[in-house]
Amino acid sequence: MQQSRLNRGEPGDHAEDNPALSKVVERNIRTIIQLRLQAARARSVQDRIADAITAFSGRMAFVYMHMAWFGVWIPLNIGRMGVRPFDPFPYGLLTMVVSLEAIFLATFVLISQNRLSEEAEHRADLALNIGLLTEHELTRVLQMLDAIQDKMAIENHANSELADLEMETKPEDVLAEIERLQQRVLSRKKPTS
């Protein structure tokens, strides 16, 4: 697959880049944009339709359209406009149409939310992976610095906090401790009978 112009870093590609930002930050921004564009292109036709309908129904134009629709429908069916009512009060046809519209709109919104939730889960997985990798790398760097300090016979005023930081952090242990502490807090909040 050919690399995008956003990531190639060719001269002239980034003429308007912000000089206050580092090259790494700019590259990361371009990568994020590229990933979002790829996710948008990967959407199915049904997802695109659901997103378009959801986007339209979330605008004030949708509200105004309904106000105009009801503003015409109700007076026409009161019988005072010189037109024979085709949906007399209590407007059963209007109620049915609006109910069906609500069902379909809710479904389209859920489809869009499910897709967005999947994308958010992928980003969370990536962030977790990078966070774990960073933690592992930093732990290893601290261990290496400690070894260099010992090798060069530099006086070590290490405290327990530094020793704790040099320990490998296992995500499953952290999650278990979070769960344990949450259970402890919840058990304290329960009223005693």
Side-chain angles (χ1 to χ4, degrees), residues 7-26:
N7 290 330
R8 277 187 272 191
E10 294 175 2
D13 278 353
H14 313 291
E16 297 101 29
D17 284 351
N18 186 340
L21 297 176
S22 72
K23 299 274 186 231
V24 173
V25 171
E26 290 174 0

